[in-house]
């Protein structure tokens, strides 16, 4: 299919606009470098080794993964500096972590004494030290040690054999739940400032804290204004999506990932059915219960067409005022609500320059959730 028009691809499939992708990568790297910070992008957003290499070539210092299996897939893909930003719990995972550090520089996070002790025991047996960040809850309320307990955990980590304390981090994910740009900016600044204050307090107690790391795409604009932060870890910015457009973080013209789908039925009065359902688009309407989209994707090939519902293998379309009902066989492209979920549904993505297919990339970390 290389060299053919995207409309000739079999559907449903994912199409990545190469020019938009590269522009997004350059833009964020330039903004981060301009703020004298380092960029360690979160690759759960794309799960594709080729995209990680583009980010590293542009200036990223390494990558962030959620799960160990993602890290394993990206090490297989040639990445050699990774942060696993998820608690490593259970002996099987600790053993995998030890094995992975034989192949690449791998940092991980801890937010509990039990996890820290298990990792310490494993690395002490090897005679090596493993670099860890202490994850802090600065307001999101998901994982991370409460601010008042940080010093106690750092004291433990810093004195455990086999561990090397390297810094503190947060995920200001609550920024996904705020539509107002000024309020979202203030929230990101407040949470990152809390993290910087934690780092400063640790330094006053005699600890070296070289890494002060935060990360989210909606919070990035605020993050870049906070003195004392050293690193940011956004992920979704490579693609953006309908949720980011709904939040006002990105414009539709910046969205680099679309789902290509075919109209398979028009028997419904005023509606149509496409061949991509919830198993491709996912069911996200917005983050943390905040609806910021009108449906399940934005049609970019026809005006007035909406995806109003999804079943597993069917997308339920409707025609808004001024739109024209499509015909069976018509091929449509939709910017999905949540690109990070969509890219995990298929084994490959097609890469396009304009409307011409120029490459095919494997989703190397698809299904990597362990």
């Amino acid at each position: 299919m290389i060299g053919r028009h995207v409309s000739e691809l079999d559907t449903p499939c994912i199409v990545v606009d190469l020019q938009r992708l590269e522009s997004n990568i350059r833009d964020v790297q330039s903004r981060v470098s301009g703020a004298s910070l380092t960029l360690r992008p979160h690759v759960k957003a794309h799960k594709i080794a080729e995209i990680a290499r583009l980010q590293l070539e542009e200036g990223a210092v390494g990558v962030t993964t959620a799960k160990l299996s993602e890290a394993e897939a990206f090490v297989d893909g040639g990445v050699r500096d990774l942060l696993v930003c998820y608690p490593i719990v259970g002996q099987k995972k600790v053993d995998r972590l030890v094995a992975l550090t034989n192949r690449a520089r791998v940092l991980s996070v801890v937010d509990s004494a039990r996890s820290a002790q298990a990792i310490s025991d494993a690395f002490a047996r090897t005679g090596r030290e493993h670099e860890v960040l202490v994850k802090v809850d600065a307001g999101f309320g998901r994982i991370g040690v409460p601010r008042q307990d940080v010093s106690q955990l750092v004291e433990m980590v810093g004195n455990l054999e086999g561990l090397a304390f390297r810094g503190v981090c947060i995920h200001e994910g609550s920024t996904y739940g705020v539509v107002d740009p000024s309020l979202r900016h203030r929230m990101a600044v407040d949470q990152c400032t809390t993290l910087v204050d934690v780092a400063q307090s640790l330094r006053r107690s005699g600890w070296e804290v070289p890494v002060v790391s935060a990360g989210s795409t909606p919070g990035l604009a605020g993050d870049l204004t906070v003195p004392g932060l050293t690193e940011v870890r956004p992920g979704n910015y490579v693609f953006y999506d309908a949720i980011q457009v709904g939040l006002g973080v990105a414009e539709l013209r910046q969205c680099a990932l679309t789902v290509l789908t075919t109209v398979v039925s028009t028997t419904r009065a005023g509606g149509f059915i496409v061949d991509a359902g919830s198993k491709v688009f996912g069911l996200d309407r917005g983050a943390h219960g905040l609806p910021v989209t009108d449906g399940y994707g934005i049609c970019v090939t026809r005006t007035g067409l909406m995806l109003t519902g999804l079943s597993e293998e069917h997308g339920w379309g409707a025609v808004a005022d001024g739109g024209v009902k499509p015909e069976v066989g018509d091929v449509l492209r939709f910017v999905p609500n949540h690109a990070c979920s969509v890219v995990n549904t298929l084994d490959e993505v097609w890469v396009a320059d304009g409307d011409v297919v120029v490459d095919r990339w494997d989703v190397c970390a698809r299904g990597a959730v362990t």
Side-chain angles (χ1 to χ4, degrees):
M1 295 305 299
I2 306 301
R4 307 291 287 273
H5 194 278
V6 292
S7 62
E8 299 180 64
L9 292 168
D10 199 9
T11 64
C13 66
I14 297 170
V15 178
V16 173
D17 186 297
L18 184 60
Q19 293 184 28
R20 293 183 182 185
L21 173 74
E22 291 179 336
S23 176
N24 293 340
I25 291 172
R26 286 193 304 268
D27 172 63
V28 167
Q29 182 64 62
S30 175
R31 291 165 61 195
V32 172
S33 297
S36 299
L37 299 174
T38 58
L39 177 65
R40 184 180 288 275
H42 209 313
V43 293
K44 74 177 178 65
H46 57 73
K47 292 178 172 278
I48 296 170
E50 286 84 353
I51 296 180
R53 287 197 284 270
L54 290 173
Q55 292 171 304
L56 293 168
E57 289 166 4
E58 196 61 35
V61 297
V63 306
T64 303
T65 72
K67 298 298 186 72
L68 268 171
S69 52
E70 283 182 339
E72 291 162 342
F74 279 95
V75 170
D76 289 343
V79 179
R80 290 295 176 264
D81 196 318
L82 309 94
L83 166 65
V84 181
C85 201
Y86 199 94
I88 306 297
V89 177
Q91 194 58 48
K92 289 181 179 179
K93 287 185 170 57
V94 171
D95 290 344
R96 287 166 59 196
L97 175 64
V98 172
L100 193 60
T101 61
N102 292 323
R103 304 173 56 201
R105 182 194 181 210
V106 182
L107 299 85
S108 65
V109 301
V110 295
D111 77 343
S112 71
R114 184 170 182 174
S115 174
Q117 186 67 63
I119 297 171
S120 166
D121 291 344
F123 278 92
R125 288 191 292 269
T126 71
R128 296 185 289 121
E129 284 192 329
H130 174 60
E131 300 174 273
V132 297
L133 306 181
V134 169
K135 188 124 189 208
V136 180
D137 177 17
F140 190 21
R142 189 170 65 183
I143 62 174
V145 63
R147 178 178 181 175
Q148 64 270 21
D149 298 329
V150 171
S151 60
Q152 182 179 355
L153 184 58
V154 170
E155 186 78 23
M156 176 188 178
V157 168
N159 288 290
L160 280 174
E161 185 181 0
L163 295 187
F165 172 66
R166 288 290 179 261
V168 291
C169 67
I170 62 169
H171 170 51
E172 66 285 13
S174 46
T175 56
Y176 273 92
V178 180
V179 176
D180 185 284
S182 61
L183 293 178
R184 185 169 60 242
H185 187 280
R186 189 181 313 149
M187 177 181 287
V189 169
D190 288 348
Q191 293 187 14
C192 288
T193 299
T194 295
L195 183 67
V196 170
D197 289 346
V198 166
Q200 293 288 59
S201 177
L202 291 170
R203 291 178 181 124
R204 286 193 295 270
S205 297
W207 294 104
E208 292 186 6
V209 190
V211 178
V212 185
S213 176
S216 77
T217 294
L220 182 62
D223 298 352
L224 298 182
T225 68
V226 178
L229 212 61
T230 69
E231 175 183 276
V232 288
R233 310 183 317 276
N236 181 269
Y237 74 92
V238 294
F239 294 143
Y240 295 119
D241 52 30
I243 288 176
Q244 301 291 347
V245 172
L247 288 171
V249 174
E251 298 180 17
L252 188 60
R253 61 179 178 81
Q254 295 175 276
C255 294
L257 181 146
T258 54
V259 173
L260 192 73
T261 185
T262 300
V263 177
V264 294
S265 177
T266 57
T267 58
R268 292 175 57 239
F272 59 95
I273 299 292
V274 296
D275 63 357
S278 64
K279 289 181 179 177
V280 176
F281 281 103
L283 293 170
D284 284 3
R285 293 290 301 277
H288 314 308
L290 181 71
V292 293
T293 63
D294 293 329
Y296 293 94
I298 301 172
C299 187
V300 293
T301 47
R302 301 271 191 94
T303 58
L305 302 186
M306 305 168 59
L307 282 181
T308 56
L310 300 172
S311 46
E312 289 185 53
E313 310 293 352
H314 305 77
W316 298 62
V319 183
D321 291 342
V324 177
K325 185 173 180 176
E327 298 181 358
V328 170
D330 285 352
V331 178
L332 307 173
R333 288 173 75 172
F334 288 87
V335 171
N337 283 352
H338 191 184
C340 308
S341 298
V342 170
V343 80
N344 193 48
T345 65
L346 298 175
D347 292 326
E348 63 188 12
V349 303
W350 293 97
V351 185
D353 187 352
D355 288 325
V356 177
V357 178
V358 295
D359 210 343
R360 183 192 66 82
W361 293 339
D362 290 330
V363 183
C364 68
R366 184 195 176 203
V369 296
T370 62

